[in-house]
Amino acid sequence: MEKADLVLFSSRSAARMAEPLMTPKIRYLICIRTFNHTYLNRILSIPSNSEVYLVNDSECSAKDSIQLLYTLGITQYRFIPYYPDCPETDPRIQYAVTVGENKLAPRNVQTLVDIGIRIADISTISEIASFFHLPLSLADVVSLNYINQFVQLLKISNHQLSQATNTKFITQSIISNIDTGICIIDDEGKIQMINKQFKEALDIPRSHLVGTLLKEAVPELDGIAKRSQDQRSPFFLVCRGKEEPLKLTVQEIRDMNHRRLTMIHCHMDQPALERPAPEGDTEGNVIKREGAYFRFDDYRTANSRSLRMVEAARRISLTDYRVLISGEPGTGREVLAQAIHNNSRRSAEPFMKLNLTVLSEGQIMEELFPGDGREGILNRAEGGTLYLNGIHCMSISMQKEFLNMMDQMPDVRFIASTEEDLYTMCQEGRFLKSLFYMIGEVSLETFPIRQRPEDIPLLFEYFIRNIYNNSALRWTDMCSEELWNSLTAYSWPGNGKEIENLCKYVYCFHSEGKLTIRDLPAYIRLQMAKKTSLLSPLEKRVLQTVAQNPKTGRAGLQEILENEGIQVAEGKIRSILQSLSEQGLIKVNRTRGGCEITETGELQLE
Ligand SMILES: Nc1ncnc2c1ncn2[C@@H]1O[C@H](COP(=O)(O)OP(=O)(O)OP(=O)(O)O)[C@@H](O)[C@H]1O
């Protein structure tokens, strides 16, 4: 070292280590080191407040680097020194920064940022320049470079800051202008953001709420963050002094630093349990609708035969032909009749419905020819459409009356629906052929759901979104997989109407968590249970034992049965368990997980 003009120590600790070798003759400098500032911006890709390993070749240099980063103002992270033989690593730490020592970084980190080796600081460079009497212009070039790096860094930070401010501004203005009440809370339940709509809906009077605990403002919402696991399933909350329950959904979100937040939506729009009722009134069983509100777009189907039928109905709507719609109840025959009316030249005129399935002959006559000076339904439908629901229910005498009236009919278009095959009825002498050919100028056929299972998910989604008034809802997110499988396998004897009714039922009865088979109305559960095969008494006993002893294996089940006085050989119990599993009544877990009853299995025990 004595031969050197100048010895440059990389750090104070390095100088200390070399002390025994030093003599008074040796000229030395301790290098003040810094980072290449243009590389520093790489660190900014790490979310603030994260825990970050600082990787270097020794504990001392790792600590030095950390100190240096803090001195440079990079204080938004908690740096932890990491070096070879470091005692332990925390698997939760996802980020690491290294100073050119990539190879030494812990394996589990997801993001490794290399900010390059530490370089000599400008003050050291100018000291060296003056020691060697180098021209000042060299120092100028170095300091210019140095300043340039700073300016670049400043520009990047400024840009990021203004982007963040702008995004925050946009978010706030969206939140204050949407139709939903929004409140965002952090992990401790403190309000981070809240809009006026939320405060109004929940009657929260205070204005400065950010930073305060939500449960203090609305005690009913204590523990709300736990609900964010079943995102999208709405629940209902009756707040103090409110008659109407509020519909809320909870969602987990993350901020830019990956912190978990909970966003609570309060839906302001009233749920559309029913479509707006058309004008008119209901008297007994005679529905005197003066309006049709369904359109072709309301007839939902993905089935190719049904799509062809709807296309034909569209063409029919442009004519004045009388239409006969055959199909099972609940298959949307009236939806079609209304859509035809609404798409026809008569759309501005009345749409009237006469429900022949429930009216007596006397009541029908009363409707057609009221004796008390009231206008008959035919006159009231003049210019428009009269929908005869269930024409197969007309008695022969009534059919004759009707035929006779036809000559003096006002201008009314008839659309009739039937559940029975009218042609067969004609052949059997139960329906007048002349009336059949008169009302069925063109005919349409709707198909039962069991012939178009592809419509089940479509109709569920359609009804649930209408009823909850939420176009983002997905039925499959709301129910367990097993329930969904059962619903798609169910025959839906009541067709679309039955699906719609189930969605209304869920809306009224269900408030939280995923729906399971247990949440279905009893009559559907019963139908589903009937569908699965009948079990022998022994199979039922085994199923019961599985239900009462979840996660018990074959040997365990055999022992329990034996204790109850039921002797079953191991081979027999194995075949019973296999059969129950194949029928979807139990789940056989792998590797000693034992057996568990499924929702369908529970149905069998009801
Ligand atoms: N394909 C479908 N698309 C949309 N809605 C449907 C469909 N099928 C049935 N519906 C719904 O089912 C309910 C019953 O439909 P609609 O009244 O048209 O049935 P229908 O065949 O006339 O039987 P009913 O005479 O028993 O009423 C309606 O509320 C309608 O919203």
Side-chain angles (χ1 to χ4, degrees):
M1 277 203 291
E2 278 184 351
K3 286 187 192 148
D5 295 321
L6 178 71
V7 175
L8 196 60
F9 289 110
S10 59
S11 65
R12 221 166 264 288
S13 48
R16 237 177 279 126
M17 275 155 63
E19 246 167 37
L21 308 172
M22 296 296 280
T23 62
K25 270 200 196 158
I26 300 174
R27 309 284 304 272
Y28 71 95
L29 264 180
I30 296 177
C31 184
I32 299 180
R33 292 168 77 190
T34 188
F35 293 107
N36 183 335
H37 293 87
T38 42
Y39 296 160
L40 273 185
N41 67 21
R42 294 176 185 168
I43 294 188
L44 302 180
S45 65
I46 300 175
S48 305
N49 300 318
S50 305
E51 296 201 313
V52 182
Y53 279 126
L54 192 301
V55 183
N56 214 336
D57 54 0
S58 70
E59 182 179 8
C60 181
S61 49
K63 284 183 176 165
D64 274 354
S65 300
I66 292 174
Q67 198 49 50
L68 186 55
L69 285 169
Y70 286 145
T71 316
L72 288 171
I74 315 245
T75 52
Q76 63 271 48
Y77 309 108
R78 199 168 87 74
F79 288 109
I80 296 139
Y82 186 85
Y83 44 90
D85 305 325
C86 190
E88 62 188 45
T89 54
D90 182 344
R92 286 169 306 171
I93 300 180
Q94 316 239 317
Y95 303 98
V97 168
T98 183
V99 285
E101 302 285 4
N102 292 7
K103 289 194 298 288
L104 303 180
R107 290 222 192 97
N108 58 300
V109 293
Q110 281 178 3
T111 309
L112 173 65
V113 175
D114 185 0
I115 52 173
I117 51 164
R118 285 180 293 163
I119 53 171
D121 176 83
I122 181 129
S123 58
T124 306
I125 290 173
S126 61
E127 266 189 84
I128 297 170
S130 75
F131 180 86
F132 288 109
H133 307 291
L134 294 173
L136 264 181
S137 56
L138 178 68
D140 281 351
V141 172
V142 176
S143 45
L144 199 66
N145 262 339
Y146 195 77
I147 288 166
N148 267 344
Q149 288 175 10
F150 261 118
V151 170
Q152 284 307 322
L153 191 62
L154 215 59
K155 271 190 193 159
I156 291 163
S157 323
N158 258 343
H159 178 68
Q160 288 186 341
L161 185 67
S162 77
Q163 262 188 343
T165 317
N166 201 16
T167 310
K168 191 170 178 200
F169 178 78
I170 294 171
T171 316
Q172 266 168 350
S173 72
I174 292 173
I175 283 191
S176 28
N177 285 296
I178 51 175
D179 289 340
T180 310
I182 298 271
C183 176
I184 299 173
I185 53 171
D186 64 13
D187 250 1
E188 293 169 40
K190 286 189 182 155
I191 299 173
Q192 298 295 310
M193 213 178 241
I194 186 163
N195 68 0
K196 188 166 95 260
Q197 297 83 314
F198 192 91
K199 285 194 257 176
E200 281 173 6
L202 282 103
D203 269 343
I204 308 176
R206 282 165 48 197
S207 51
H208 299 296
L209 288 161
V210 174
T212 64
L213 288 169
L214 175 64
K215 69 175 179 196
E216 280 171 10
V218 191
E220 295 90 339
L221 290 181
D222 189 13
I224 186 95
K226 284 196 219 100
R227 286 182 184 265
S228 58
Q229 279 115 25
D230 34 274
Q231 296 193 12
R232 301 215 184 109
S233 304
F235 68 98
F236 297 88
L237 183 81
V238 183
C239 285
R240 294 156 297 173
K242 289 250 170 197
E243 279 178 17
E244 290 287 316
L246 292 167
K247 185 164 79 170
L248 304 178
T249 41
V250 182
Q251 197 179 355
E252 183 184 307
I253 54 171
R254 301 268 160 176
D255 72 3
M256 62 185 282
N257 297 325
H258 291 253
R259 272 185 314 157
R260 201 182 85 111
L261 298 172
T262 302
M263 175 151 80
I264 308 153
H265 310 238
C266 177
H267 303 267
M268 324 296 284
D269 35 8
Q270 278 311 302
L273 251 191
E274 290 292 348
R275 288 172 159 267
E279 283 176 21
D281 57 351
T282 306
E283 265 175 30
N285 288 313
V286 185
I287 300 161
K288 299 175 188 170
R289 277 195 183 137
E290 299 278 345
Y293 44 99
F294 286 115
R295 298 181 176 278
F296 283 118
D297 284 350
D298 293 316
Y299 195 88
R300 298 298 162 121
T301 181
N303 174 268
S304 55
R305 274 203 305 169
S306 296
L307 285 169
R308 271 202 305 279
M309 180 272 294
V310 175
E311 207 32 58
R314 221 183 265 275
R315 258 177 281 142
I316 291 170
S317 69
L318 305 176
T319 72
D320 233 359
Y321 298 143
R322 296 187 195 112
V323 191
L324 177 64
I325 310 176
S326 349
E328 289 184 14
T331 49
R333 294 166 306 168
E334 188 180 345
V335 175
L336 282 175
Q338 290 194 14
I340 292 173
H341 171 82
N342 277 333
N343 206 43
S344 75
R345 67 172 178 89
R346 298 171 182 269
S347 61
E349 303 300 329
F351 175 91
M352 306 292 293
K353 172 179 170 184
L354 199 55
N355 196 349
L356 303 168
T357 58
V358 286
L359 293 177
S360 69
E361 215 160 289
Q363 283 172 313
I364 298 173
M365 288 308 283
E366 179 69 18
E367 265 309 302
L368 293 169
F369 311 107
D372 51 7
R374 281 186 302 131
E375 226 183 353
I377 194 166
L378 285 167
N379 288 332
R380 281 184 286 133
E382 186 162 6
T385 304
L386 178 60
Y387 175 55
L388 300 167
N389 185 36
I391 195 148
H392 62 284
C393 295
M394 255 191 190
S395 66
I396 288 280
S397 60
M398 195 66 239
Q399 292 172 31
K400 286 182 181 157
E401 285 280 352
F402 208 76
L403 260 181
N404 285 338
M405 280 168 9
M406 280 299 201
D407 290 342
Q408 325 122 42
M409 282 281 183
D411 171 28
V412 174
R413 179 194 206 167
F414 286 100
I415 302 181
S417 73
T418 177
E419 274 169 50
E420 275 197 58
D421 177 7
L422 283 197
Y423 190 74
T424 310
M425 282 181 75
C426 289
Q427 286 174 327
E428 291 169 357
R430 292 189 289 132
F431 205 85
L432 296 177
K433 275 193 184 143
S434 39
L435 185 59
F436 169 69
Y437 289 119
M438 208 195 66
I439 54 159
E441 283 181 309
V442 282
S443 41
L444 289 171
E445 191 187 352
T446 57
F447 307 104
I449 291 286
R450 63 183 176 282
Q451 287 178 13
R452 47 184 175 105
E454 66 270 45
D455 281 353
I456 298 173
L458 188 106
L459 287 172
F460 264 112
E461 211 92 289
Y462 171 65
F463 292 130
I464 212 80
R465 287 178 179 184
N466 263 350
I467 290 167
Y468 279 85
N469 220 354
N470 179 349
S471 59
L473 272 186
R474 282 162 43 133
W475 178 260
T476 40
D477 288 340
M478 290 173 69
C479 57
S480 71
E481 203 181 326
E482 211 172 320
L483 170 60
W484 184 237
N485 291 340
S486 305
L487 292 177
T488 44
Y490 180 59
S491 63
W492 300 104
N495 296 302
K497 179 76 186 153
E498 192 179 9
I499 297 183
E500 186 178 16
N501 287 355
L502 176 61
C503 293
K504 288 179 181 176
Y505 177 90
V506 165
Y507 173 77
C508 296
F509 283 89
H510 184 72
S511 59
E512 63 180 286
K514 284 211 173 196
L515 291 157
T516 67
I517 295 181
R518 273 167 249 128
D519 297 309
L520 295 177
Y523 89 91
I524 298 188
R525 286 208 312 271
L526 205 68
Q527 297 310 309
M528 286 177 171
K530 274 190 200 153
K531 214 186 136 246
T532 46
S533 74
L534 283 177
L535 299 178
S536 71
L538 181 58
E539 284 173 325
K540 198 159 188 177
R541 192 71 197 85
V542 173
L543 186 64
Q544 256 165 1
T545 314
V546 172
Q548 286 156 3
N549 304 279
K551 302 204 171 158
T552 308
R554 201 171 53 231
L557 291 167
Q558 194 183 12
E559 198 183 317
I560 295 166
L561 286 165
E562 256 175 36
N563 290 341
E564 289 168 7
I566 304 168
Q567 300 291 332
V568 205
E570 203 196 332
K572 179 75 182 162
I573 203 162
R574 186 188 298 126
S575 72
I576 291 178
L577 291 175
Q578 190 177 345
S579 151
L580 294 177
S581 158
E582 280 164 6
Q583 292 175 66
L585 305 178
I586 62 165
K587 202 167 75 178
V588 182
N589 297 316
R590 284 176 175 203
T591 53
R592 301 189 182 183
C595 304
E596 275 175 284
I597 191 155
T598 61
E599 290 169 30
T600 321
E602 282 175 1
L603 269 181
Q604 281 294 319
L605 297 179
E606 281 190 3

